[in-house]
Amino acid sequence: MSSKTEQREPEHVQTLGHEEYDPIGTAILIGIYFLILVLLWIFMYFVEFLGNGPTVVGMALTVVGLA
Amino acid sequence: MATSPPTEVTAMRNAYVDQFPDEARVIKAAFWSSFIALAIGGTLGLVQALHRTDVFRFIQSPDYYTVLTAHGVLLAITFTIFFLVGTFTWAVTTSLDRGVVDVRFTWAWYIMMVIGTVLVAIAIFSGFLESAPSVLGSELNADVLFTFYAPLEAHPIFYIGLVLFVVGSWLAGVDWFRTWLAWRSENPDERIPLPTFMVLTTTLFWYICTFGVALSILVFLLPWSLGITESVNPLLTRTLFWYFGHAVVYFWLMPAYMMWYIMLPKFSGGKLFSDPLARVVFVLFLLLSTPLGIHHQYLDPGIAEGYKFIAMTNTMFLLLPSLLTAFTVVASMEHGARQRGGEGYLGWLKALPWRNPIFTGMALAGLMFAAAGFSGMINAGMNINYLVHNTWWVVGHFHLTVGTAVALTFMAASYWFIPQLTGKELWNRSVALGQVLLWFIGMTFMSNAMHRSGLFGMPRRTAEPQYQGFDFEPAVGTVGEINMQVALGGVILTLSLALFLLNMIMTSIGDDSESIPDNTYAGTLSGAEDSPRILDNLKLWTAIAVVLVIIAYTLPLASIIDAGGLFGPGIEGVRLSTWVDPAVIESLGEVIR
Amino acid sequence: MNIHTYEKVWLVAAMVLIVGFIATITYGAVGPGIAMIDDEGGDINPDEINDDERFAEPGVEHVGGNEYEVAVVAQAWSYTPSQIEVPANSEVTFYVTSRDVTHSFSVVGTNVNTMVIPGQVSEMTVKFDEPGEYGILCNEYCGEYHHTMEGKLNVVPEDEFDMTELSVEADDEVESGNETTITANVENGMQEDLETTVSLEIGDETREEAVTVPGDGSEEVAFTVDSADLGEGDHDWTVTVDDYEESGTLSVVTPDGNESADGGDGDA
C-alpha cells in the first residue's frame, strides 16, 4: 500500500507520527460544534417547535372524556 | 505491492490512466454520464428556483412538476450513482493495485445503467409534450417525482428503466467483489485496503436496501402499470420505497466520505488520523442505514408510533459515525496543516492549502455537511417532524447534503480525477477555485432561506406557493426576501455549475501533460494493523445488518399488509395529467390568475 | 485499537448528544403529550368513502362537552369541506382520508400536519386554546394543480360558535283572504339542547316563539300568517334565530275571478 499512499508536498516542513501529534485544534473546533448543536437543538425544540402550537396531542384525554 | 514498479521509475508519469488504461475509459464514461445528468438536472434546478419564487416564470405550472421529477431523478439518482460507480471502480483498482477481473463485464454494467437512465429520461421528458406518443398501450409520462408514490402512476418504461439502472449498479457491486476476491486469493493474509473496505461495506448495504425498491417495482408497481394487477396498497409501496429511500442517501454520501477519508488528508498535507475508526464508521453505516427508513414516514397514518420510535432510535445512533467522521477528518486536516508548519490552537487553519480547489472544495463541502448534520438531527426527531415535514426546510437540508456535501465533493474530486483519467492537466485552477467558492456561497443563500421558510410552513414540491385564502407569516424577514435569496442562490449555483462543466470540457480537449501527479491516496497515522481483524469480517456485519432490518421492518410491514392487503383495496392508477377534463384546467387556470 | 483520548471524549460526547435528543423527543411525548399520527384511524376503501358513516357527509360534528370531530376528504385538488370552523377552547379530532392519490393536510403555521394516504384514515387530536385563522394546504405533490389545493380553518371565540342551522319554508304568494304558513326549521348540531327564540318579522308585525331544540336534533316552528292582516301587495319577511337570518317576500294577490267576492273583510 505504501506506494499508493506515499506523499510529499513541497510545503512539508515536519513529519508528525501518531504519538507526537495532539489534535488540540480539532478538539476545540469539535467542542464549538458540540455547543452549537446543543444550543440550536434546544432553540428548535422548545422555541420553534413547542411554541408553534396547536400541536397534535394524544388520544388519552379524549378516551377518558368519552368514558 | 511494496515493490510496485512505477515508484522506481520516478521520472515516468504514474497517473491512473497509465496504470489502468482500460478501467480509466469506463470510469471516464461513468463520470461524463454523471456530468451530463448534473448539467441537465442543475439547469432544471434554476428553472424551479426562478419559477416557484415567482421571479421568472416561462413554463406552465403543471410542467413545473415534470421539471421537478427530472431534477430529482437526474441529480439524486443519475448524477450521484454514476459518479459513485466511477469512484468505487477507481478505489478498488487503485487500492488493490490490480485491474478488474474482466473489463468487458465492467462495460456491461455501465451500459446497462445508461440504458436504464435513457428509458427513465424518455418517460420523464415526455411530460413536456402536448400529446405524448403511446407506447405499450399507454401514453409516455412519468410526472411522479423522485418518490413515485402510488397511486400516481408512471409509464411502465419509467419503472423498467429504474430496474435496469439498479440492476446495473448491482452488477457493478459484483464487479468490485469479484476483483476483491481475486486479490484476496493472491494476498490471503492481507487486511482489506481501506478504500476497498469502504466500497465493499457500502455495496453490501446497497444490496440490502435496494431489495425493498426492487420488490416494490417488480412485484407491485410494474405489473400494475402494465395492467397485470389491478390495484396497489399505497402505504405498502411507499414503505418499501423508504426502506430504500434513506439508505440511498448514505449510498451517494459514501463516496464523498471516502474522498474525505482518503483524499482530503492527502491534500491537506497529512495522513488519515485513524484507519480503525474509519472502518468502524463504515461498519456502522452497513448496520444502520436501512432499518430507519420509517423516519420518512413519521406523519404517515397506518404505522404505529412504536415503530416510528424504533426508526428514530436507529436514526439517532447513525449520527455516531458521522460525528466520528467529523473528528477524524478534521484531525487529519490539522495533521496536514501542522506538517506544513501550522501552529497555535486554531492558527493551523491558515496553513491549509486554501488555494487548491480540490482541498477547498472538499473542505467547504464538509463544513456544509456539519450544518446539514444539524438540520438532519431535527429531521430525525420524531414529534418535531410536525414542524418541518414536507416543508421547504427539508429541501434546504438535502441541498446541503446531496447538493453540497456530495455534489461539491464530487466536483472538487473531479479536478483530481479527470487529469488522472485523461492524462491531461486541469484547464484552469483559478476558475476551479472560484467555482467551488461560488457553489458554497450560492448554496449558503439558497439553503439558509429554504430552511427558514420551512419553519413557517412553506411547502416543498409546489410550483406556486401563493394561496388565495391565507398568507405565510415569517417570524423574521419576509417571504419576498426569502424568495430573492433562493433565486439569487440558484443563479450563483448555476454559474458555478457552468464554470465546472467548462473546466471539465476544456480539460478533456486539452493536450496530454507529463506533470500529472501520481495516483495515490492518503496514508494513515494509525493504520490497519491497529484495527481489530473482526472489522473485516463482512459476513458477520452483513448478517447483523439483515437481522436489524428484519427486526425493524417485519412488524410494520405485517400490519400494513394485514390492514390493506398486499395489493390494496381496489386502488387504480392515477395519471393526473392525462386524467383531467380540459375544462377543469381552464377554470382552474382562471382562478389562479 | 489505538484511539486518541480526544476521540474517546468525543465519542462519549456524541453518545450524550444522541441520548439527549432521544430524551427530548420522549419528553415531548410524555410532557406536552404530543402524539404521532398512527394506525388508530384504521383503513378505508377509497371507493366506499361515500358510503362511509363518517365520510359520507364530511364536516364538523359535536361529540359532547368541548370535543368535536372533523371529517375531511382530500382529493385532487381540494378538501371537503374546504372551510372548517371550530370553537376556541376545544379539543378537535380530525379524520382525514383521500379519494385518489396521496395528499397532506397541513395547517399552516402550526404543528398540525399529516400525510393523507388513500386507503388510510389519518386521525389526530388537537387542542385549540385560542381563536385564530389558519390556512390549510397540501404539501405532498398530487398532480399538476397541486399548488391550488388549500382550505381554511377558523377557530372562533367560544361564544361566537354554534352549530345551529336555520332553514325556512314559505310560499311565495298567497291569495288575499287565505292563510299561509312560514315554517322555520332549526337544526342543532351540538349535543346539548338549544334554548332560543325564533322570531318572524313580516309587515310591521314581529312574532316570537321560544323553542328548545334537542341536542343533535331539529325543531320546527310554524307561523301562521293571515293575508288579511297584510293586505295585498309584496311583504318582506325575516326569520331570525340567534345570528341566523332567512328572509323572503310574500305576495298577497287578488284571487282570480269571482273568488274575490269571497273576501270583503275590510283591512283598515
Side-chain angles (χ1 to χ4, degrees), chain B residues 65 143 308 323 386 468 576, chain C residues 10 35 37 141-142 147 150:
Chain B
Y65 302 105
D143 289 344
K308 295 178 177 175
L323 292 170
Y386 280 122
Q468 309 290 317
L576 286 167
Chain C
W10 175 235
I37 307 291
Y141 166 68
C142 59
H147 46 275
E150 62 173 290

Side-chain angles (χ1 to χ4, degrees), chain B residues 38-79:
Chain B
L38 179 64
I40 301 170
T43 310
L44 295 177
L46 178 66
V47 174
Q48 291 167 75
L50 298 178
H51 188 96
R52 65 165 281 162
T53 56
D54 201 12
V55 171
F56 179 51
R57 289 179 174 166
F58 64 93
I59 54 166
Q60 297 293 309
S61 283
D63 284 337
Y64 176 90
Y65 302 105
T66 309
V67 172
L68 180 52
T69 307
H71 176 76
V73 172
L74 286 176
L75 293 184
I77 299 287
T78 318
F79 159 64

Side-chain angles (χ1 to χ4, degrees), chain C residues 251-268:
Chain C
S251 306
V252 179
V253 295
T254 316
D256 295 333
N258 52 12
E259 281 181 31
S260 64
D262 187 45
D265 286 354
D267 49 354

Side-chain angles (χ1 to χ4, degrees), chain B residues 401-455:
Chain B
T401 54
V402 64
T404 307
V406 174
L408 186 53
T409 300
F410 285 3
M411 288 190 279
S414 301
Y415 292 137
W416 189 78
F417 274 130
I418 293 301
Q420 285 294 320
L421 297 169
T422 57
K424 295 167 179 181
E425 208 164 356
L426 185 66
W427 174 64
N428 191 317
R429 276 172 76 91
S430 305
V431 168
L433 187 61
Q435 185 267 322
V436 297
L437 284 172
L438 280 177
W439 193 273
F440 181 80
I441 294 165
M443 199 55 89
T444 303
F445 278 114
M446 191 169 97
S447 157
N448 175 48
M450 285 173 165
H451 274 102
R452 281 176 52 210
S453 69
L455 295 180

Side-chain angles (χ1 to χ4, degrees), chain B residues 76-97:
Chain B
I77 299 287
T78 318
F79 159 64
T80 52
I81 297 180
F82 268 121
F83 199 90
L84 177 145
V85 294
T87 308
F88 278 11
T89 305
W90 165 85
V92 167
T93 49
T94 298
S95 66
L96 298 179
D97 201 17

Side-chain angles (χ1 to χ4, degrees), chain C residues 64-181:
Chain C
N66 64 344
E67 287 168 27
Y68 297 82
E69 289 184 354
V70 183
V72 180
V73 177
Q75 68 186 89
W77 298 284
S78 63
Y79 298 101
T80 313
S82 62
Q83 300 261 347
I84 298 168
E85 191 177 281
V86 293
N89 196 20
S90 64
E91 193 174 295
V92 179
T93 304
F94 292 90
Y95 296 86
V96 196
T97 194
S98 165
R99 211 181 276 284
D100 41 40
V101 296
T102 302
H103 300 278
S104 93
F105 178 87
S106 306
V107 182
V108 179
T110 74
N111 299 325
V112 180
N113 188 358
T114 183
M115 300 306 300
V116 183
I117 300 174
Q120 303 289 327
V121 178
S122 306
E123 177 187 319
M124 53 182 175
T125 299
V126 184
K127 278 185 182 165
F128 292 102
D129 296 333
E130 303 289 329
E133 283 189 26
Y134 304 98
I136 300 168
L137 58 76
C138 173
N139 65 20
E140 185 54 81
Y141 166 68
C142 59
E144 46 186 12
Y145 286 96
H146 159 57
H147 46 275
T148 63
M149 185 160 171
E150 62 173 290
K152 200 87 202 276
L153 171 67
N154 286 341
V155 183
V156 300
E158 220 176 338
D159 54 1
E160 289 174 24
F161 181 82
D162 59 48
M163 293 184 68
T164 308
E165 271 180 55
L166 168 68
S167 57
V168 179
E169 271 181 52
D171 293 328
D172 289 337
E173 56 176 52
V174 59
E175 287 179 7
S176 173
N178 284 359
E179 287 183 346
T180 184
T181 312

